[in-house]
Amino acid sequence: MPGIYTLRRARFILHTILCLLLLSCSQPERQPQEALVLTDDLGRELTLQKKPERVFAFASSMTEMLYAVLDTSTIIARTPTDDYPEAVYRKPLVSNYPVDYEQVLVLKPDLIFTVEGITPLEVAERLQQLGVPVYYQKYRTVEDIFTGIEDIGRIMGREQQSRQLTDSLRQEVASIKARHQKDEPQRVLAITWSDPIYVYGQNTIFTDKLRILGAENAVQEVFEQPYPALTREYVLKLNPDVLLGGTKEELEERFFSLYPELRRIKAYQHNRLYKPDDNLMSRPSPRVVESLRELEGFLYP
Amino acid sequence: MMRRGLYFILALLLILVVMLLGLQVGSFDTDAATIFSALFHYNPDDTTHFAILHLRLPRLLLALVVGASLAFCGYLMQAMVNNGLADPYLLGTASGASLGAVVVFFGFVPMTVAGLYLPPVFALAGAFLVTLVVVILGYRKRQIIPAQLLLAGIALSSLVTAMVGLFTFLSDSEGKLRSVVFWSMGSFERASWEMVPYPAAALSIALLLFAFYQKQLNILLLGEERAQALGIQVAQTRWVILGTVSVVTGFAVATSGPIGFVGLIIPHVTRGLLGATGRGNLLLCAFIGGLFMLLCDLLSRIIYPPAGLPIGIITSFFGVPFFVYLLFKKNYNFKE
């Protein structure tokens, strides 16, 4: 009878859990290779059999982090979008979209790092079932990137290297910040696509970068999406001082020819249209300081 | 007679009311007084005035014209193939336009040439091209065979949709995908004074033309043989319908994307109100189509500011329940 069977099984599981609890309380240092339990930024619990030694990332920003912190021999793959540092091209390629499960299994990673929003949760579940845990990070501020780097250092047993890196990055951020606290904040709009108009919203790291630079995101309203779609009228009302998204020629061709009405905005009138590096803008990586310097060049020419 | 006049006046009034409401919805706070002064005492330096006159008004007019065009063409198509399930996209216009737009979005041709934004231009070309092929396939012995035309339209639409799917799948950037998705659900966000005249002119000419063809259209509903016996040049009438539908739908789709359901439902609504062969059906159908689209656009912007939900989602959401109601309404009949 299924009812009784289920009951028995439940009781069996309960017993097992109790025994395990007792074991873990009484003999904590007995096992030489203790299972490692991690909780990632999404609150997902991962159990690793040992300290990870073969890892890679599904997000290019995290590949950059791994290269900045780890012994490069522990990084075992790259994805099609990875392009930094140069050395990454020496690693075998694995498709992250769609995920090539078979290739992942061939590579035998102990752990895959990724960023919230880059890898769908069901993909992570599937990989988990195949025996490959996936560790998510998420970032809202520049500081989150640094704690993310330290996180990786702790998981991979490279605390010292990660600490050194984040200390120097934090110092650079502090000195950039100190330069711009007295400035009248410029209102900056960064577009990611022109038809429809998608922009960097309030809850992106971009907002924090601008804050560090003594400027502000022209989009003050908080939308559900990090990169909300806006209308022409909305942009007209924002009337940003600076528009990021392309050189003057590029924006003229892709943006203002489509929305000639927007030539009224201050950024266009005062010719403050700039083209930041796509990867520096979009990747929450250790190169965030480089990104800050680039933006600083645009805001304070 | 009385009833018809009443419906026309009612439709016109409602269009005006909804347009006035629509003029007030947007990112700038605007009340009735601001709308009034923008319309009658336009100050070019006032950005709010500018937004009302150059962003909101063309948008509303485009919605009106496109809604009217699709409903009008749906009515024509249903009469021509003598089937209530027909819609203006049966000729492959929507898929052809999508292919044209996608070709530009995915970078096979530049986005702009000499300041001209190309996606609508290519969409128009794609719509015409696919429609032409469908018509050629539906053509036998010097005349259009409706059943064959329908099959050709469906087959070619599937083929073209598959091509669009292939491009989409092979796309290398998320932005391009967004453009395609956004385009495929329809939007009036690109509306401008430079754009609105084209679909408006196409629709006006077509409405004028069919002021003379309404009788033929009704007799066509009796079936080919009886229509011929009654002295109607069936073949010629079909050509006029085909030509009109492809041009008017082409402009509507090229400017706003393939917006579904309007062309299917509104003709039924019209017949439900005035009967299947009422005089003035075509014109009223266009009015109701325009009104319906204005309402959908208003709703989309109120529900999901600022960008507005894609218009195709709204038309389906509100159109389908109404359609189902119509199907179950006892005294509605397609032909009588």
Side-chain angles (χ1 to χ4, degrees):
Chain A
M1 282 180 41
I4 290 178
Y5 175 73
T6 320
L7 202 67
R8 269 191 201 150
R9 203 163 64 163
R11 210 189 279 160
F12 172 75
I13 293 171
L14 200 69
H15 272 143
T16 318
I17 293 173
L18 280 177
C19 290
L20 281 176
L21 270 177
L22 281 175
L23 272 174
S24 61
C25 292
S26 54
Q27 304 153 310
E29 290 119 37
R30 196 71 176 272
Q31 291 161 302
Q33 273 273 321
E34 203 184 345
L36 205 61
V37 178
L38 306 172
T39 309
D40 70 8
D41 286 3
L42 302 187
R44 297 163 67 254
E45 220 164 73
L46 310 175
T47 312
L48 273 61
Q49 295 315 313
K50 57 179 174 95
K51 193 165 73 65
E53 277 155 9
R54 297 174 58 80
V55 298
F56 69 93
F58 274 153
S60 300
S61 60
M62 289 195 93
T63 302
E64 293 189 16
M65 283 188 183
L66 298 182
Y67 267 93
V69 174
L70 303 191
D71 172 355
T72 52
S73 66
T74 53
I75 305 166
I76 58 164
R78 71 180 163 102
T79 67
T81 47
D82 290 350
D83 57 5
Y84 189 91
E86 202 58 35
V88 76
Y89 286 108
R90 288 202 288 271
K91 302 290 179 184
L93 185 67
V94 59
S95 168
N96 58 343
Y97 182 80
V99 170
D100 185 346
Y101 293 101
E102 216 173 298
Q103 174 71 359
V104 170
L105 290 184
V106 167
L107 291 166
K108 292 201 198 86
D110 299 325
L111 184 64
I112 297 174
F113 288 99
T114 194
V115 177
E116 179 196 30
I118 297 272
T119 307
L121 275 172
E122 63 264 24
V123 169
E125 286 313 311
R126 179 90 202 279
L127 283 165
Q128 181 78 54
Q129 283 163 12
L130 296 172
V132 182
V134 178
Y135 189 93
Y136 281 87
Q137 287 196 342
K138 65 174 181 187
Y139 326 96
R140 293 289 175 268
T141 61
V142 172
E143 178 57 33
D144 287 347
I145 302 176
F146 302 152
T147 45
I149 293 172
E150 287 163 1
D151 217 21
I152 293 175
R154 201 161 42 246
I155 294 168
M156 301 297 296
R158 306 273 288 184
E159 280 103 331
Q160 206 198 331
Q161 288 83 350
S162 65
R163 202 69 220 187
Q164 260 168 11
L165 176 66
T166 53
D167 280 350
S168 85
L169 289 175
R170 280 196 184 99
Q171 233 162 39
E172 294 197 60
V173 169
S175 75
I176 293 174
K177 192 172 180 178
R179 287 204 279 273
H180 301 295
Q181 287 321 296
K182 283 183 206 132
D183 300 306
E184 177 71 19
Q186 305 174 53
R187 296 169 54 259
V188 186
L189 181 69
I191 59 171
T192 64
W193 199 253
S194 52
D195 183 16
I197 306 172
Y198 276 98
V199 302
Y200 278 82
Q202 180 63 214
N203 36 17
T204 53
I205 296 180
F206 177 65
T207 305
D208 194 44
K209 287 185 197 169
L210 290 175
R211 203 176 297 135
I212 290 166
L213 289 165
E216 62 186 27
N217 193 338
V219 183
Q220 287 292 314
E221 193 176 341
V222 178
F223 294 95
E224 233 166 83
Q225 305 91 333
Y227 305 94
L230 299 182
T231 55
R232 289 173 293 177
E233 190 175 328
Y234 199 96
V235 175
L236 193 64
K237 192 180 178 200
L238 289 180
N239 197 14
D241 300 307
V242 178
L243 182 69
L244 304 179
T247 60
K248 185 169 193 299
E249 291 72 29
E250 284 170 348
L251 285 173
E252 194 71 70
E253 192 198 320
R254 283 188 286 117
F255 192 73
F256 291 109
S257 71
L258 175 56
Y259 311 111
E261 304 85 1
L262 293 182
R263 293 205 172 101
R264 290 173 75 104
I265 61 173
K266 270 189 259 172
Y268 185 86
Q269 296 290 328
H270 300 152
N271 203 6
R272 304 217 39 207
L273 315 170
Y274 305 102
K275 181 186 188 174
D277 182 278
D278 272 346
N279 291 338
L280 288 183
M281 271 295 269
S282 62
R283 290 183 190 173
S285 79
R287 287 194 288 163
V288 63
V289 170
E290 220 175 296
S291 171
L292 282 169
R293 285 207 201 95
E294 186 188 43
L295 292 174
E296 188 181 27
F298 298 147
L299 294 178
Y300 308 98
Chain B
M1 181 64 206
M2 270 295 285
R3 205 169 54 146
R4 193 185 337 140
L6 196 70
Y7 283 137
F8 269 109
I9 293 169
L10 197 66
L12 264 178
L13 271 179
L14 282 174
I15 286 174
L16 272 178
V17 169
V18 178
M19 282 193 79
L20 279 177
L21 286 177
L23 273 181
Q24 297 190 37
V25 179
S27 304
F28 288 99
D29 290 326
T30 44
D31 51 14
T34 326
I35 305 284
F36 183 82
S37 68
L39 289 178
F40 298 104
H41 308 282
Y42 178 63
N43 174 6
D45 296 327
D46 185 333
T47 311
T48 313
H49 281 194
F50 181 82
I52 291 170
L53 220 64
H54 288 269
L55 300 180
R56 293 183 193 175
L57 194 54
R59 178 196 182 104
L60 294 174
L61 289 176
L62 186 66
L64 179 71
V65 168
V66 167
S69 298
L70 292 177
F72 171 78
C73 292
Y75 194 98
L76 289 181
M77 281 304 286
Q78 290 177 0
M80 186 180 88
V81 301
N82 214 337
N83 187 326
L85 289 176
D87 79 2
Y89 300 145
L90 277 179
L91 299 174
T93 327
S95 54
S98 298
L99 184 64
V102 163
V103 162
V104 187
F105 285 140
F106 285 141
F108 296 105
V109 284
M111 275 288 185
T112 42
V113 165
L116 178 70
Y117 190 64
L118 284 185
V121 180
F122 269 70
L124 191 66
F128 286 162
L129 198 72
V130 172
T131 306
L132 187 69
V133 178
V134 170
V135 171
I136 289 171
L137 290 175
Y139 180 79
R140 267 294 151 74
K141 292 180 199 151
R142 292 166 146 234
Q143 59 172 324
I144 289 293
I145 319 284
Q148 200 169 327
L149 187 77
L150 287 188
L151 288 176
I154 291 168
L156 213 66
S157 290
S158 305
L159 178 70
V160 173
T161 308
M163 285 162 76
V164 172
L166 180 70
F167 287 142
T168 313
F169 181 75
L170 295 178
S171 151
D172 57 351
S173 107
E174 209 183 318
K176 292 175 182 175
L177 284 181
R178 280 182 188 156
S179 286
V180 173
V181 170
F182 190 73
W183 198 86
S184 68
M185 292 193 284
S187 159
F188 301 119
E189 179 55 22
R190 287 174 294 254
S192 66
W193 285 116
E194 286 76 44
M195 179 196 266
V196 176
Y198 296 101
L203 177 68
S204 308
I205 295 169
L207 281 172
L208 213 62
L209 178 68
F210 272 87
F212 301 103
Y213 267 95
Q214 174 85 48
K215 204 176 87 196
Q216 273 92 327
L217 215 57
N218 288 337
I219 295 176
L220 216 54
L221 287 177
L222 298 171
E224 189 168 345
E225 282 167 26
R226 285 172 74 187
Q228 218 121 35
L230 285 168
I232 300 293
Q233 305 222 309
V234 175
Q236 189 207 5
T237 311
R238 281 189 185 142
W239 278 118
V240 174
I241 295 177
L242 268 189
T244 309
V245 169
S246 53
V247 172
V248 174
T249 314
F251 274 108
V253 173
T255 48
S256 317
I259 300 165
F261 259 96
V262 183
L264 178 66
I265 312 164
I266 304 300
H268 291 288
V269 174
T270 312
R271 279 188 293 259
L273 290 173
L274 287 186
T277 54
R279 277 172 60 202
N281 265 15
L282 264 176
L283 193 60
L284 186 69
C285 184
F287 275 30
I288 300 177
L291 174 63
F292 178 70
M293 198 65 101
L294 278 173
L295 270 173
C296 288
D297 180 53
L298 182 64
L299 272 175
S300 95
R301 286 185 294 148
I302 291 175
I303 295 173
Y304 193 73
L309 284 176
I311 194 78
I313 292 176
I314 304 277
T315 55
S316 299
F317 253 91
F318 291 91
V320 175
F322 195 76
F323 192 53
V324 172
Y325 161 75
L326 216 64
L327 283 179
F328 284 95
K329 203 176 140 200
K330 281 197 188 100
N331 56 3
Y332 173 65
N333 189 323
F334 176 60
K335 287 185 191 174
E336 284 160 40

